[in-house]
């Protein structure tokens, strides 16, 4: 198990460092009152053994073992061969090594968990185990490689490509990484072709496998996924895919039509769906409807980003539409028609004569 | 004539009498070392902690090897469970517990008033060097749980194989850095290297370490004031939680 061994070797020295760093920080910054008081008493009487012992005891009580050992070692120079001092020094040194030892045991537990997850990730293709291992060691090259391999084996070339690319940040010259990355890219291209040309479940699986965040073809894959979901009568998934595509490239007419078609069929829209509908209607130059949808989104989620800007655009467009409507209606309606139109009979209310009556 | 015989007898017996007079109890530090090496009253067969740990390491390896050859999932799981028990059981002095106790007793030796500088210096190093074996024990426990939860013979066999590799490393050490040498650094240590390390500590002792008599091994007690003494009543007890 070379991979697990390398990780274990890397983890072992951490224990002592962690324990010592923690102790040092606590003892120097937030020393308890007893330590502060014992320090001043000892500073006033540096030759006093009882004062030294009180300081050492206070430091031990505060788990500041290293500092206690230093204090006693300094005392040893002033009081050589004092049996009580020797005994205290021996015990305190033992506490230091004990603390390091227990930190080591705790670290062993952590290292074992990492090794277990790496083993399951690399040997059994257990992606959950890969993620668990990366939680503890997020930038570990070996674990990233193992995860990429597991993703590739699971037919997720896009995810594998992403993982290998992340791993490459830590080892740009790693030959195996280059080979695996090329394999993932090749597998993804094949999946991309099936996604575009295939049908049914196979096409859906291919699109999901090929979908790579940040890739040039991400918009195309989302759009294709949306179409496949629509064909399968899965409007929620289709809408999500269209929304993802729309967020990548706003203003695409086919995506806008897709979003409007799906949201037309469902009047109970949440904030995201309303915002997507508003955005799509803006693309289709339907300002008044866009404004209504965007305002609905704003009412549901006032903090949603980019809404305000789109609302301003929709308001402008709506005003243009209103003007156009007014002009159209003015052009279409001759003024004399209005003049010759029969006058509406004035309404007569039963209480007309009762001015004081409240309606 | 009688006087002459008597004188000769006295002269011949004198060295024996003298040696009887100067025979001293072992140092407290050496008794603690004896608990790690030779015997202690709480373990199975009253064997020293390191001996128990070595025996358990052998058993774990044998059980794990048996598990790797099993094609029957239930039997494989039973073998792995037994290997995990021999690794991590506290009540039955599994490998991990026995090794930690051995390390603790070497640390007790280092804090004894009569401890040599050799023991004082070596105890924390030995404790640190046990960590890799402890880590393998932890991993065996985790993989054992995975085997117990597995419904696939193939997966269980693979995991049992890994447990066997770990068990072998716990016994003999490993070559983690692939330099062609097994156990040449603490991160590669198994029981074999830890035994050698403890033997080295013993060999460096001055005055020399001698095998501690069972009476001393089983009757060392810690008083409430923290002092270690021998229980003159020989109750072989466990005073103040000392194990």
């Amino acid at each position: 198990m070379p991979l697990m061994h390398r990780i274990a070797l890397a983890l072992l020295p951490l224990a002592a460092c962690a324990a010592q760093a923690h102790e040092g920080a606590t003892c120097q910054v937030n020393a308890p009152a007893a330590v502060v008081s014992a320090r001043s008493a000892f500073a006033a009487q540096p030759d006093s053994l009882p004062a030294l012992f009180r300081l050492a005891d206070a430091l031990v009580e505060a788990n500041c073992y290293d500092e206690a050992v230093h204090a006693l070692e300094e005392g040893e120079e002033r009081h050589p061969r004092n049996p009580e001092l020797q005994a205290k020094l021996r015990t305190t040194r033992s506490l230091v090594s004990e603390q390091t030892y227990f930190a080591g045991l705790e670290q062993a537990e952590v290292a074992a968990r990492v090794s277990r997850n790496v083993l399951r990730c690399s040997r059994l293709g257990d992606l959950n185990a890969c993620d668990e291992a990366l939680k503890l060691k997020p930038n570990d090259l070996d674990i990233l490689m193992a995860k990429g391999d597991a993703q590739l084996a699971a037919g997720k070339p896009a995810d594998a490509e992403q993982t290998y690319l992340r791993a490459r940040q830590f080892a740009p010259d790693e030959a195996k990484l280059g080979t695996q990355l090329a394999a993932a890219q090749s597998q993804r291209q094949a999946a991309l072709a099936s996604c575009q040309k295939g049908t049914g479940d196979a096409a859906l699986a291919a699109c999901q496998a090929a979908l790579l965040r940040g890739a040039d073809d991400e918009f195309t894959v989302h759009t294709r996924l949306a179409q496949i979901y629509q064909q399968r009568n899965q409007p929620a998934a289709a809408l999500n895919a269209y929304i993802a595509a729309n967020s990548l490239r706003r203003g695409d007419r086919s995506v806008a039509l897709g979003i409007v078609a799906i949201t037309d069929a469902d009047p109970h829209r949440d904030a995201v769906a309303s915002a997507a509908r508003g955005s799509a209607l803006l693309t289709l130059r339907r300002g008044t409807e866009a404004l209504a949808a965007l305002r609905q989104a704003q009412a549901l989620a006032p903090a949603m980003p980019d809404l305000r800007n789109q609302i301003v655009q929709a308001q402008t467009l709506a005003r243009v539409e209103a003007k156009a409507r007014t002009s159209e209606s003015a052009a279409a309606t001759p003024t004399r028609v209005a003049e010759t139109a029969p006058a509406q009979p004035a309404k007569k209310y039963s209480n007309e004569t009762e001015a004081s009556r409240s309606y | 004539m009688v006087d002459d015989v008597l004188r000769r007898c006295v002269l011949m017996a004198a060295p024996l009498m003298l040696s009887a007079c100067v025979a001293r109890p072992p140092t407290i530090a050496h008794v603690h070392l004896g608990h790690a090496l030779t015997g202690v009253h709480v373990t199975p067969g009253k064997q020293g902690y390191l001996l128990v740990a070595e025996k358990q390491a052998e058993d774990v390896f044998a059980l794990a090897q048996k598990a790797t050859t099993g094609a029957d999932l239930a039997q494989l799981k039973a073998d792995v469970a037994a290997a995990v028990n021999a690794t991590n059981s506290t009540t039955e002095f599994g490998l991990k517990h026995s090794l930690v106790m051995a390390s603790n007793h070497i640390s007790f030796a280092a804090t004894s008033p009569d401890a040599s500088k050799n023991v004082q210096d070596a105890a924390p190093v030995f404790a640190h060097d046990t960590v890799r074996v402890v880590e393998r024990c932890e991993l065996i426990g985790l993989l054992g749980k995975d085997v117990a939860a597995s419904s696939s013979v193939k997966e269980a066999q693979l995991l049992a194989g890994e447990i066997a590799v770990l068990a072998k490393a716990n016994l003999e050490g490993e070559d983690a850095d692939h330099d062609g040498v097994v156990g040449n650094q603490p991160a590669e240590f198994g029981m074999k290297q830890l035994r050698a390390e403890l033997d080295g500590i013993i060999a460096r002792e001055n005055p020399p370490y001698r095998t501690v008599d069972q009476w001393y091994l089983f009757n060392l007690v810690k008083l409430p004031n923290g002092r270690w003494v021998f229980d003159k009543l020989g109750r072989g007890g466990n005073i103040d939680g000392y194990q």
Side-chain angles (χ1 to χ4, degrees):
Chain A
M1 298 177 291
L3 179 57
M4 288 160 68
H5 289 166
R6 266 182 286 167
I7 289 165
L9 282 170
L11 282 172
L12 266 177
L14 292 177
C17 299
Q20 282 164 11
H22 174 72
E23 189 210 301
T26 311
C27 298
Q28 282 160 21
V29 182
N30 293 320
V35 171
V36 175
S37 150
R39 265 190 198 134
S40 1
F42 180 63
Q45 294 176 287
D47 287 330
S48 160
L49 261 181
L52 173 63
F53 290 161
R54 268 199 300 278
L55 173 60
D57 290 344
L59 287 166
V60 167
E61 189 67 28
N63 294 337
C64 302
Y65 304 129
D66 269 336
E67 208 182 325
V69 167
H70 292 318
L72 290 167
E73 280 174 347
E74 280 174 24
E76 197 183 17
E77 288 169 15
R78 290 171 194 239
H79 308 277
R81 294 181 189 167
N82 178 289
E84 203 178 345
L85 177 59
Q86 294 296 327
K88 210 170 258 299
L89 189 54
R90 200 168 42 243
T91 310
T92 314
R93 277 183 183 144
S94 166
L95 289 170
V96 172
S97 60
E98 202 171 83
Q99 188 187 36
T100 311
Y101 178 53
F102 285 127
L105 293 185
E106 279 173 28
Q107 197 61 44
E109 272 187 53
V110 174
R113 278 205 299 277
V114 174
S115 298
R116 177 259 181 193
N117 286 326
V118 170
L119 172 72
R120 290 196 64 88
C121 172
S122 58
R123 302 289 302 274
L124 298 170
D126 181 345
L127 285 170
N128 287 335
C130 299
D131 291 336
E132 285 299 313
L134 284 170
K135 271 185 203 167
L136 290 166
K137 292 180 74 68
N139 299 329
D140 188 285
L141 177 68
D142 291 326
I143 304 175
L144 284 169
M145 288 275 287
K147 182 180 177 181
D149 293 349
Q151 286 168 325
L152 201 56
K156 296 181 173 180
D159 293 344
E161 190 177 330
Q162 211 158 32
T163 307
Y164 290 134
L165 286 171
R166 193 172 143 205
R168 201 165 63 174
Q169 292 172 3
F170 307 108
D173 302 325
E174 174 74 42
K176 193 195 163 202
L177 190 52
T179 312
Q180 291 299 88
L181 182 58
Q185 284 166 339
S186 158
Q187 209 181 95
R188 193 174 91 81
Q189 287 307 316
L192 206 55
S194 303
C195 166
Q196 296 288 21
K197 293 173 190 164
T199 52
D201 288 349
L204 179 62
C207 288
Q208 285 167 335
L211 182 62
L212 177 61
R213 312 270 169 213
D216 293 341
D217 49 32
E218 188 185 353
F219 171 82
T220 314
V221 178
H222 276 305
T223 310
R224 177 71 183 129
L225 268 171
Q227 290 164 354
I228 294 171
Y229 282 128
Q230 266 188 310
Q231 286 163 8
R232 296 162 67 93
N233 197 23
Q234 292 177 260
L239 181 61
N240 284 341
Y242 275 132
I243 288 172
N246 190 50
S247 69
L248 289 169
R249 192 186 298 169
R250 206 161 268 168
D252 185 275
R253 196 171 164 76
S254 67
V255 170
L257 286 169
I259 291 174
V260 172
I262 294 169
T263 50
D264 272 345
D266 180 14
H268 305 293
R269 293 182 287 266
D270 63 11
V272 175
S274 296
R277 180 179 168 80
S279 175
L281 287 165
L282 261 181
T283 301
L284 299 174
R285 312 291 297 166
R286 288 158 60 177
T288 311
E289 292 169 86
L291 188 58
L294 291 167
R295 282 197 169 137
Q296 190 184 358
Q298 194 181 36
L300 292 168
M304 190 178 273
D306 204 31
L307 263 185
R308 197 179 293 270
N309 184 32
Q310 289 190 76
I311 286 173
V312 171
Q313 286 178 42
Q315 281 170 331
T316 311
L317 194 57
R319 274 198 293 274
V320 172
E321 285 171 8
K323 266 188 192 170
R325 272 199 302 275
T326 312
S327 319
E328 274 172 22
S329 76
T333 313
T335 44
R336 66 186 167 78
V337 174
E339 284 163 9
T340 54
Q344 290 285 324
K347 283 184 179 167
K348 284 269 186 187
Y349 293 97
S350 59
N351 59 351
E352 204 170 40
T353 53
E354 298 172 57
S356 63
R357 182 165 173 181
S358 169
Y359 302 106
Chain B
M1 181 65 183
V2 174
D3 282 354
D4 193 37
V5 170
L6 196 62
R7 195 180 303 120
R8 279 185 185 182
C9 287
V10 169
L11 280 172
M12 283 172 70
L16 289 171
M17 290 165 71
L18 192 64
S19 72
C21 289
V22 297
R24 290 179 184 166
T27 63
I28 300 291
H30 282 187
V31 178
H32 285 304
L33 290 177
H35 288 154
L37 282 166
T38 317
V40 64
H41 61 283
V42 290
T43 58
K46 297 192 175 183
Q47 289 186 309
Y49 287 115
L50 205 72
L51 284 171
V52 177
E54 285 169 332
K55 174 73 173 62
Q56 294 284 34
E58 284 170 14
D59 289 352
V60 174
F61 182 44
L63 285 161
Q65 271 194 314
K66 183 169 174 258
T68 54
T69 57
D72 174 53
L73 186 60
Q75 184 57 48
L76 193 157
K77 284 185 179 188
D79 290 337
V80 167
V84 169
N85 190 57
T87 303
N88 288 334
S89 166
T90 308
T91 52
E92 291 171 40
F93 288 87
L95 165 59
K96 186 178 90 176
H97 183 62
S98 303
L99 181 60
V100 168
M101 293 304 282
S103 175
N104 285 350
H105 279 257
I106 295 165
S107 297
F108 292 153
T111 52
S112 301
D114 51 14
S116 67
K117 187 160 188 318
N118 167 46
V119 171
Q120 287 181 47
D121 292 346
V125 178
F126 183 84
H128 170 264
D129 292 350
T130 61
V131 170
R132 180 67 181 126
V133 174
V134 172
E135 185 193 317
R136 289 194 205 102
C137 291
E138 297 283 354
L139 185 49
I140 287 172
L142 292 173
L143 297 180
K145 280 184 191 168
D146 286 346
V147 170
S150 178
S151 54
S152 149
V153 178
K154 197 179 162 192
E155 180 182 312
Q157 277 175 335
L158 188 147
L159 293 170
E162 294 297 335
I163 291 173
V165 171
L166 291 164
K168 187 166 190 264
N170 268 350
L171 197 58
E172 296 170 2
E174 62 184 314
D175 181 17
D177 57 4
H178 305 287
D179 64 352
V181 187
V182 171
N184 63 338
Q185 54 166 314
E188 299 182 342
F189 277 13
M191 291 308 300
K192 186 179 166 188
Q193 289 75 22
L194 290 172
R195 161 62 72 177
E197 186 174 337
L198 187 53
D199 286 347
I201 298 171
I202 297 303
R204 289 192 300 272
E205 270 299 82
N206 188 18
Y209 175 85
R210 306 206 181 286
T211 304
V212 179
D213 185 86
Q214 282 207 343
W215 188 91
Y216 293 109
L217 287 176
F218 299 156
N219 289 291
L220 181 67
V221 293
K222 191 179 187 182
L223 297 176
N225 65 6
R227 280 190 61 206
W228 294 99
V229 294
F230 295 110
D231 181 6
K232 290 192 175 64
L233 297 175
R235 286 170 289 194
N238 178 20
I239 297 176
D240 200 28
Y242 180 69
Q243 290 196 334

